[in-house]
Amino acid sequence: MGKSPTLEFDSKWDLSPAPESTGHINLKDQYDLFIGGKWVKPSSKKYFDTINPATEKVIAKVAEANEKDVNRAVQSARKAYNEVWSKLSAGERGKYIYRIARLIQERAREFSVIETMDGGKVIRESRDVDVPLAAAHFFYYAGWADKLKYAFPNRNPQPLGVAGQIIPWNFPLLMAAWKIAPALATGNTVVIKSAETTPLTLYKLAEVIESAGLPPGVVNIVSGAGETGAAIVNHRDVNKIAFTGSTGVGKIIQRAVVGTNKKTTLELGGKAANIVFEDAPLDQAVEGIINGIYFNQGHVCCAGSRLFIQESVKDIVLRKLQDRMESLIVGDPMDKNTDIGAINSKEQLGIIKKYIEVGKKEGATMYQNTCDLPKKGYWCRPTLFTNVSQSSRIVQEEIFGPVLAVQTFRTIDEVISKANNSPYGLSAGVWTDKGSKIFNLTSQMKAGIVWANSYNKFDPTSPFGGYKESGFGREGGLHGLKPYLNL
Ligand code: NAP
Ligand code: MG
């Protein structure tokens, strides 16, 4: 793939740094567990470091919860459920959730900066996507709290009790909002665990919950490793498990809850197809491809990691795509000009690098942008592979990094069968100016979400979830209430 003589983009804009300030944030050196409305020391007495993946510096020490701590958290959630939360009117529950939403908005800047420091994602994304959407989810579900009978007419919606929730590191605050807001609106209490590399915004949320005056024990927040998550999953007094994370851990959880009364929702991995037809607005499509796979470092379960281009426009799309890739700025996530921030952890960078090697060994042709990378921190250039086949590992397996595998197609039937040839079925994108093609495709794609002429658009009113190994159950929208109710 040579470079185009008719570049639509300059290879790099010469922008002065525009770093977001950190002077306004408030962080402690050490975070204890938030159980029963109090900050409590872990019974293990152990703390682990959470680092900034862009600088490799330790930001804070965070408590490691063991089985005993999880038990304490579940007991306090049960007590709050029995004694307070289940007795409160739905309207009163709604007021607390509104309060949480408003406080997140008031502290949005602080949340954004901490999300970026702890996870490596660009400030533009945490500021414009994660934090506003998290607040929007609380607002949205606050509105449902006293309308459950209208949501499910002729049914008798009842809460389940204690919900155990486990979230990943790619959208820490947002995933917490997706889980806590519907659980509270439906009258459940919560024990939630953050991911090991990104615990901080959940503890900031604990501060918001304190300020909102939420009754103690309604939301309990713990941190720790996989064993902490397993302790929640295996606890006998938990009525519901909501998990977002990898398909591998999802399978372990599913096995663990077999034969119990626990309700489960699993939001797992993905390998989304982004499909560009020859009649698509190509510049818009290229922007959608970039947004779909490279922004947020490809750390998105619904990332458009498989690109299918109709043969007749393959050359032009690839040329535009490479030109646009070359203009992407990889670096300091706190800089408002940066497009691609730090990879979340050293481990994740190792996984991505391994897959890039696999791609090369499989005989695919690689293209990467050529920008400079910072010396410290974990970085990966936006990468694309052509000359791949349906059976290539980089086409079949989730990489969870900024790596795109490109294939071509001639007919709509061909691309539908190729796109569906995946163990996953979370999301997809389609670019065309024909509504009929969009409808044909959306009705045949095995994907929970299909974006048409857009990508990675989220809204609290819209349900999200997968098919096949991408999990089951829906979060968001009216659908997102159901997994927390006995109907
Ligand atoms: P992960 O390794 O599955 O971890 C997810 C969470 O589960 C973390 O809090 C993790 O704790 C915890 N955990 C690990 N082992 C556990 C066990 N045996 N029992 C209970 N909990 C356990 O996934 P990840 O690497 O953090 O996140 C990336 C994955 O999440 C990708 O596959 C991505 O596609 C998926 N994801 C899916 C969605 C969706 O909505 N479908 C959204 C975002 C991400 P530690 O952090 O301590 O390991
Ligand atoms: Mg971190």
Side-chain angles (χ1 to χ4, degrees), residues 192-218:
I192 185 167
K193 178 189 117 54
S194 52
E196 228 171 313
T197 55
T198 54
L200 292 180
T201 44
L202 210 51
Y203 283 131
K204 294 308 283 185
L205 185 65
E207 293 174 8
V208 158
I209 284 167
E210 276 185 311
S211 314
L214 194 72
V218 172

PDB file of all heavy atoms in Angstrom, residues 192-218:
ATOM      1  N   ILE A 192     -20.346  -3.810  44.449  1.00  0.00           N
ATOM      2  CA  ILE A 192     -19.696  -3.701  43.139  1.00  0.00           C
ATOM      3  C   ILE A 192     -18.188  -3.717  43.291  1.00  0.00           C
ATOM      4  O   ILE A 192     -17.639  -3.150  44.240  1.00  0.00           O
ATOM      5  CB  ILE A 192     -20.180  -2.435  42.379  1.00  0.00           C
ATOM      6  CG1 ILE A 192     -19.591  -2.385  40.955  1.00  0.00           C
ATOM      7  CG2 ILE A 192     -19.882  -1.155  43.140  1.00  0.00           C
ATOM      8  CD1 ILE A 192     -20.244  -1.368  40.043  1.00  0.00           C
ATOM      9  N   LYS A 193     -17.529  -4.380  42.347  1.00  0.00           N
ATOM     10  CA  LYS A 193     -16.060  -4.439  42.332  1.00  0.00           C
ATOM     11  C   LYS A 193     -15.514  -3.786  41.068  1.00  0.00           C
ATOM     12  O   LYS A 193     -15.935  -4.097  39.965  1.00  0.00           O
ATOM     13  CB  LYS A 193     -15.591  -5.887  42.365  1.00  0.00           C
ATOM     14  CG  LYS A 193     -14.058  -5.993  42.288  1.00  0.00           C
ATOM     15  CD  LYS A 193     -13.573  -7.412  42.111  1.00  0.00           C
ATOM     16  CE  LYS A 193     -12.840  -7.664  40.812  1.00  0.00           C
ATOM     17  NZ  LYS A 193     -11.717  -6.785  40.518  1.00  0.00           N
ATOM     18  N   SER A 194     -14.528  -2.914  41.254  1.00  0.00           N
ATOM     19  CA  SER A 194     -13.870  -2.279  40.115  1.00  0.00           C
ATOM     20  C   SER A 194     -12.809  -3.214  39.549  1.00  0.00           C
ATOM     21  O   SER A 194     -12.447  -4.204  40.179  1.00  0.00           O
ATOM     22  CB  SER A 194     -13.202  -0.988  40.581  1.00  0.00           C
ATOM     23  OG  SER A 194     -12.378  -1.262  41.712  1.00  0.00           O
ATOM     24  N   ALA A 195     -12.289  -2.887  38.375  1.00  0.00           N
ATOM     25  CA  ALA A 195     -11.165  -3.647  37.815  1.00  0.00           C
ATOM     26  C   ALA A 195      -9.886  -3.211  38.516  1.00  0.00           C
ATOM     27  O   ALA A 195      -9.773  -2.084  38.987  1.00  0.00           O
ATOM     28  CB  ALA A 195     -11.064  -3.419  36.318  1.00  0.00           C
ATOM     29  N   GLU A 196      -8.937  -4.128  38.551  1.00  0.00           N
ATOM     30  CA  GLU A 196      -7.704  -3.895  39.305  1.00  0.00           C
ATOM     31  C   GLU A 196      -6.939  -2.650  38.845  1.00  0.00           C
ATOM     32  O   GLU A 196      -6.349  -1.955  39.659  1.00  0.00           O
ATOM     33  CB  GLU A 196      -6.806  -5.115  39.078  1.00  0.00           C
ATOM     34  CG  GLU A 196      -6.213  -5.695  40.310  1.00  0.00           C
ATOM     35  CD  GLU A 196      -5.544  -7.019  39.955  1.00  0.00           C
ATOM     36  OE1 GLU A 196      -6.162  -7.844  39.245  1.00  0.00           O
ATOM     37  OE2 GLU A 196      -4.398  -7.205  40.378  1.00  0.00           O
ATOM     38  N   THR A 197      -6.934  -2.378  37.557  1.00  0.00           N
ATOM     39  CA  THR A 197      -6.104  -1.265  37.065  1.00  0.00           C
ATOM     40  C   THR A 197      -6.829   0.076  37.118  1.00  0.00           C
ATOM     41  O   THR A 197      -6.194   1.108  36.893  1.00  0.00           O
ATOM     42  CB  THR A 197      -5.637  -1.513  35.609  1.00  0.00           C
ATOM     43  OG1 THR A 197      -6.793  -1.762  34.801  1.00  0.00           O
ATOM     44  CG2 THR A 197      -4.687  -2.681  35.530  1.00  0.00           C
ATOM     45  N   THR A 198      -8.138   0.073  37.380  1.00  0.00           N
ATOM     46  CA  THR A 198      -8.871   1.347  37.345  1.00  0.00           C
ATOM     47  C   THR A 198      -9.880   1.477  38.487  1.00  0.00           C
ATOM     48  O   THR A 198     -11.077   1.619  38.258  1.00  0.00           O
ATOM     49  CB  THR A 198      -9.639   1.485  36.015  1.00  0.00           C
ATOM     50  OG1 THR A 198     -10.448   0.298  35.866  1.00  0.00           O
ATOM     51  CG2 THR A 198      -8.751   1.670  34.826  1.00  0.00           C
ATOM     52  N   PRO A 199      -9.408   1.464  39.727  1.00  0.00           N
ATOM     53  CA  PRO A 199     -10.367   1.513  40.843  1.00  0.00           C
ATOM     54  C   PRO A 199     -10.803   2.924  41.249  1.00  0.00           C
ATOM     55  O   PRO A 199     -11.752   3.067  42.020  1.00  0.00           O
ATOM     56  CB  PRO A 199      -9.571   0.857  41.982  1.00  0.00           C
ATOM     57  CG  PRO A 199      -8.146   1.150  41.652  1.00  0.00           C
ATOM     58  CD  PRO A 199      -8.025   1.267  40.169  1.00  0.00           C
ATOM     59  N   LEU A 200     -10.113   3.959  40.756  1.00  0.00           N
ATOM     60  CA  LEU A 200     -10.256   5.262  41.429  1.00  0.00           C
ATOM     61  C   LEU A 200     -11.600   5.958  41.228  1.00  0.00           C
ATOM     62  O   LEU A 200     -12.169   6.496  42.178  1.00  0.00           O
ATOM     63  CB  LEU A 200      -9.105   6.188  41.011  1.00  0.00           C
ATOM     64  CG  LEU A 200      -7.731   5.731  41.535  1.00  0.00           C
ATOM     65  CD1 LEU A 200      -6.649   6.686  41.078  1.00  0.00           C
ATOM     66  CD2 LEU A 200      -7.742   5.606  43.050  1.00  0.00           C
ATOM     67  N   THR A 201     -12.130   5.960  40.006  1.00  0.00           N
ATOM     68  CA  THR A 201     -13.390   6.714  39.831  1.00  0.00           C
ATOM     69  C   THR A 201     -14.544   6.053  40.578  1.00  0.00           C
ATOM     70  O   THR A 201     -15.503   6.719  40.938  1.00  0.00           O
ATOM     71  CB  THR A 201     -13.758   6.929  38.350  1.00  0.00           C
ATOM     72  OG1 THR A 201     -13.564   5.715  37.639  1.00  0.00           O
ATOM     73  CG2 THR A 201     -12.940   8.039  37.742  1.00  0.00           C
ATOM     74  N   LEU A 202     -14.431   4.760  40.832  1.00  0.00           N
ATOM     75  CA  LEU A 202     -15.497   4.114  41.607  1.00  0.00           C
ATOM     76  C   LEU A 202     -15.444   4.594  43.057  1.00  0.00           C
ATOM     77  O   LEU A 202     -16.479   4.793  43.696  1.00  0.00           O
ATOM     78  CB  LEU A 202     -15.336   2.596  41.519  1.00  0.00           C
ATOM     79  CG  LEU A 202     -16.619   1.785  41.612  1.00  0.00           C
ATOM     80  CD1 LEU A 202     -17.667   2.282  40.660  1.00  0.00           C
ATOM     81  CD2 LEU A 202     -16.329   0.320  41.338  1.00  0.00           C
ATOM     82  N   TYR A 203     -14.242   4.817  43.572  1.00  0.00           N
ATOM     83  CA  TYR A 203     -14.146   5.365  44.925  1.00  0.00           C
ATOM     84  C   TYR A 203     -14.521   6.849  44.961  1.00  0.00           C
ATOM     85  O   TYR A 203     -15.015   7.342  45.977  1.00  0.00           O
ATOM     86  CB  TYR A 203     -12.757   5.098  45.515  1.00  0.00           C
ATOM     87  CG  TYR A 203     -12.617   3.651  45.973  1.00  0.00           C
ATOM     88  CD1 TYR A 203     -11.528   2.874  45.609  1.00  0.00           C
ATOM     89  CD2 TYR A 203     -13.603   3.074  46.773  1.00  0.00           C
ATOM     90  CE1 TYR A 203     -11.418   1.548  46.026  1.00  0.00           C
ATOM     91  CE2 TYR A 203     -13.504   1.744  47.188  1.00  0.00           C
ATOM     92  CZ  TYR A 203     -12.417   0.998  46.816  1.00  0.00           C
ATOM     93  OH  TYR A 203     -12.322  -0.310  47.219  1.00  0.00           O
ATOM     94  N   LYS A 204     -14.306   7.547  43.845  1.00  0.00           N
ATOM     95  CA  LYS A 204     -14.822   8.924  43.778  1.00  0.00           C
ATOM     96  C   LYS A 204     -16.349   8.888  43.771  1.00  0.00           C
ATOM     97  O   LYS A 204     -17.009   9.750  44.354  1.00  0.00           O
ATOM     98  CB  LYS A 204     -14.319   9.650  42.520  1.00  0.00           C
ATOM     99  CG  LYS A 204     -12.842   9.906  42.456  1.00  0.00           C
ATOM    100  CD  LYS A 204     -12.286  10.594  43.667  1.00  0.00           C
ATOM    101  CE  LYS A 204     -12.582  12.074  43.705  1.00  0.00           C
ATOM    102  NZ  LYS A 204     -11.896  12.724  44.874  1.00  0.00           N
ATOM    103  N   LEU A 205     -16.898   7.878  43.106  1.00  0.00           N
ATOM    104  CA  LEU A 205     -18.357   7.728  43.110  1.00  0.00           C
ATOM    105  C   LEU A 205     -18.857   7.451  44.529  1.00  0.00           C
ATOM    106  O   LEU A 205     -19.938   7.905  44.922  1.00  0.00           O
ATOM    107  CB  LEU A 205     -18.772   6.609  42.151  1.00  0.00           C
ATOM    108  CG  LEU A 205     -20.273   6.422  41.954  1.00  0.00           C
ATOM    109  CD1 LEU A 205     -20.899   7.640  41.283  1.00  0.00           C
ATOM    110  CD2 LEU A 205     -20.563   5.184  41.097  1.00  0.00           C
ATOM    111  N   ALA A 206     -18.045   6.736  45.306  1.00  0.00           N
ATOM    112  CA  ALA A 206     -18.415   6.501  46.708  1.00  0.00           C
ATOM    113  C   ALA A 206     -18.560   7.843  47.440  1.00  0.00           C
ATOM    114  O   ALA A 206     -19.474   8.035  48.249  1.00  0.00           O
ATOM    115  CB  ALA A 206     -17.371   5.627  47.391  1.00  0.00           C
ATOM    116  N   GLU A 207     -17.668   8.788  47.130  1.00  0.00           N
ATOM    117  CA  GLU A 207     -17.776  10.124  47.757  1.00  0.00           C
ATOM    118  C   GLU A 207     -19.079  10.813  47.344  1.00  0.00           C
ATOM    119  O   GLU A 207     -19.738  11.459  48.150  1.00  0.00           O
ATOM    120  CB  GLU A 207     -16.576  10.993  47.350  1.00  0.00           C
ATOM    121  CG  GLU A 207     -15.258  10.489  47.908  1.00  0.00           C
ATOM    122  CD  GLU A 207     -14.053  11.275  47.380  1.00  0.00           C
ATOM    123  OE1 GLU A 207     -14.243  12.313  46.697  1.00  0.00           O
ATOM    124  OE2 GLU A 207     -12.933  10.859  47.632  1.00  0.00           O
ATOM    125  N   VAL A 208     -19.430  10.657  46.071  1.00  0.00           N
ATOM    126  CA  VAL A 208     -20.684  11.236  45.584  1.00  0.00           C
ATOM    127  C   VAL A 208     -21.874  10.596  46.312  1.00  0.00           C
ATOM    128  O   VAL A 208     -22.821  11.272  46.725  1.00  0.00           O
ATOM    129  CB  VAL A 208     -20.797  11.043  44.053  1.00  0.00           C
ATOM    130  CG1 VAL A 208     -22.232  11.126  43.577  1.00  0.00           C
ATOM    131  CG2 VAL A 208     -19.934  12.064  43.322  1.00  0.00           C
ATOM    132  N   ILE A 209     -21.782   9.284  46.478  1.00  0.00           N
ATOM    133  CA  ILE A 209     -22.859   8.554  47.150  1.00  0.00           C
ATOM    134  C   ILE A 209     -22.998   9.017  48.603  1.00  0.00           C
ATOM    135  O   ILE A 209     -24.098   9.187  49.114  1.00  0.00           O
ATOM    136  CB  ILE A 209     -22.585   7.035  47.030  1.00  0.00           C
ATOM    137  CG1 ILE A 209     -22.947   6.594  45.600  1.00  0.00           C
ATOM    138  CG2 ILE A 209     -23.337   6.226  48.072  1.00  0.00           C
ATOM    139  CD1 ILE A 209     -22.453   5.209  45.228  1.00  0.00           C
ATOM    140  N   GLU A 210     -21.853   9.276  49.226  1.00  0.00           N
ATOM    141  CA  GLU A 210     -21.883   9.839  50.596  1.00  0.00           C
ATOM    142  C   GLU A 210     -22.558  11.204  50.597  1.00  0.00           C
ATOM    143  O   GLU A 210     -23.444  11.464  51.406  1.00  0.00           O
ATOM    144  CB  GLU A 210     -20.450  10.031  51.114  1.00  0.00           C
ATOM    145  CG  GLU A 210     -19.809   8.816  51.723  1.00  0.00           C
ATOM    146  CD  GLU A 210     -18.431   9.168  52.310  1.00  0.00           C
ATOM    147  OE1 GLU A 210     -17.622   9.816  51.605  1.00  0.00           O
ATOM    148  OE2 GLU A 210     -18.180   8.801  53.470  1.00  0.00           O
ATOM    149  N   SER A 211     -22.140  12.068  49.646  1.00  0.00           N
ATOM    150  CA  SER A 211     -22.717  13.422  49.606  1.00  0.00           C
ATOM    151  C   SER A 211     -24.199  13.392  49.301  1.00  0.00           C
ATOM    152  O   SER A 211     -24.945  14.271  49.712  1.00  0.00           O
ATOM    153  CB  SER A 211     -22.054  14.286  48.526  1.00  0.00           C
ATOM    154  OG  SER A 211     -20.694  14.173  48.567  1.00  0.00           O
ATOM    155  N   ALA A 212     -24.627  12.381  48.530  1.00  0.00           N
ATOM    156  CA  ALA A 212     -26.045  12.287  48.178  1.00  0.00           C
ATOM    157  C   ALA A 212     -26.879  11.798  49.362  1.00  0.00           C
ATOM    158  O   ALA A 212     -28.103  11.800  49.299  1.00  0.00           O
ATOM    159  CB  ALA A 212     -26.218  11.352  46.983  1.00  0.00           C
ATOM    160  N   GLY A 213     -26.200  11.349  50.418  1.00  0.00           N
ATOM    161  CA  GLY A 213     -26.918  10.881  51.601  1.00  0.00           C
ATOM    162  C   GLY A 213     -27.619   9.549  51.393  1.00  0.00           C
ATOM    163  O   GLY A 213     -28.570   9.220  52.113  1.00  0.00           O
ATOM    164  N   LEU A 214     -27.159   8.781  50.429  1.00  0.00           N
ATOM    165  CA  LEU A 214     -27.762   7.463  50.188  1.00  0.00           C
ATOM    166  C   LEU A 214     -27.654   6.646  51.478  1.00  0.00           C
ATOM    167  O   LEU A 214     -26.598   6.620  52.110  1.00  0.00           O
ATOM    168  CB  LEU A 214     -27.005   6.760  49.051  1.00  0.00           C
ATOM    169  CG  LEU A 214     -27.681   5.534  48.449  1.00  0.00           C
ATOM    170  CD1 LEU A 214     -28.886   5.939  47.596  1.00  0.00           C
ATOM    171  CD2 LEU A 214     -26.700   4.741  47.584  1.00  0.00           C
ATOM    172  N   PRO A 215     -28.724   5.967  51.885  1.00  0.00           N
ATOM    173  CA  PRO A 215     -28.642   5.213  53.141  1.00  0.00           C
ATOM    174  C   PRO A 215     -27.464   4.237  53.128  1.00  0.00           C
ATOM    175  O   PRO A 215     -27.194   3.596  52.107  1.00  0.00           O
ATOM    176  CB  PRO A 215     -29.980   4.456  53.172  1.00  0.00           C
ATOM    177  CG  PRO A 215     -30.907   5.260  52.320  1.00  0.00           C
ATOM    178  CD  PRO A 215     -30.048   5.891  51.260  1.00  0.00           C
ATOM    179  N   PRO A 216     -26.742   4.121  54.262  1.00  0.00           N
ATOM    180  CA  PRO A 216     -25.558   3.262  54.331  1.00  0.00           C
ATOM    181  C   PRO A 216     -25.873   1.835  53.892  1.00  0.00           C
ATOM    182  O   PRO A 216     -26.921   1.301  54.257  1.00  0.00           O
ATOM    183  CB  PRO A 216     -25.179   3.285  55.814  1.00  0.00           C
ATOM    184  CG  PRO A 216     -25.811   4.511  56.363  1.00  0.00           C
ATOM    185  CD  PRO A 216     -27.007   4.818  55.533  1.00  0.00           C
ATOM    186  N   GLY A 217     -24.960   1.259  53.118  1.00  0.00           N
ATOM    187  CA  GLY A 217     -25.115  -0.144  52.731  1.00  0.00           C
ATOM    188  C   GLY A 217     -25.897  -0.355  51.441  1.00  0.00           C
ATOM    189  O   GLY A 217     -25.907  -1.454  50.909  1.00  0.00           O
ATOM    190  N   VAL A 218     -26.532   0.688  50.910  1.00  0.00           N
ATOM    191  CA  VAL A 218     -27.286   0.503  49.661  1.00  0.00           C
ATOM    192  C   VAL A 218     -26.310   0.254  48.509  1.00  0.00           C
ATOM    193  O   VAL A 218     -26.555  -0.594  47.657  1.00  0.00           O
ATOM    194  CB  VAL A 218     -28.219   1.714  49.380  1.00  0.00           C
ATOM    195  CG1 VAL A 218     -28.852   1.604  48.004  1.00  0.00           C
ATOM    196  CG2 VAL A 218     -29.290   1.783  50.459  1.00  0.00           C
TER     197      VAL A 218
END
